[in-house]
Amino acid sequence: MVSPDQVKAMIEAQLPDAQVTVEDLTGTRDHYQVIVVSSHFEGLPRVRQHQLVYGSLQEAMSTEAIHALTMKTYTPEAWSQVSGAVS
């Protein structure tokens, strides 16, 4: 098991400019939902964006410290459009 802060730190280590939101979906510290906003995603297809995030969490996922992960990834521009629509 890993804490939400640890998940956030692992992603930020791989994507230093990222804005990361982590939600523990079950309270068991092994099922997470993350939202990651990073300029590193510019020009990349969604699959490649997700691969970057999975890569940052590879060790935790391979040991099943993180059992399940859902994610949404955005470029800063896309996030401003989505978050503007949500507000």
Side-chain angles (χ1 to χ4, degrees), residues 26-46:
T26 61
T28 57
R29 296 170 60 146
D30 64 351
H31 288 71
Y32 288 104
Q33 175 176 295
V34 297
I35 298 172
V36 184
V37 180
S38 174
S39 63
H40 286 86
F41 299 149
E42 296 285 346
L44 297 178
R46 181 105 14 189

Side-chain angles (χ1 to χ4, degrees), residues 1-73:
M1 293 185 291
V2 294
S3 73
D5 288 339
Q6 290 171 310
V7 172
K8 185 177 192 292
M10 287 185 264
I11 295 169
E12 289 172 342
Q14 181 79 20
L15 302 165
D17 77 326
Q19 299 171 30
V20 182
T21 304
V22 181
E23 181 182 355
D24 182 346
L25 295 174
T26 61
T28 57
R29 296 170 60 146
D30 64 351
H31 288 71
Y32 288 104
Q33 175 176 295
V34 297
I35 298 172
V36 184
V37 180
S38 174
S39 63
H40 286 86
F41 299 149
E42 296 285 346
L44 297 178
R46 181 105 14 189
V47 169
R48 183 67 186 119
Q49 294 174 19
H50 288 201
Q51 288 171 338
L52 288 173
V53 176
Y54 279 123
S56 67
L57 301 170
Q58 181 177 8
E59 184 177 334
M61 298 209 54
S62 68
T63 62
E64 294 191 20
I66 297 175
H67 178 73
L69 179 72
T70 63
M71 76 178 83
K72 294 182 181 179
T73 55

Side-chain angles (χ1 to χ4, degrees), residues 81-87:
Q81 293 173 357
V82 170
S83 62
V86 172
S87 324

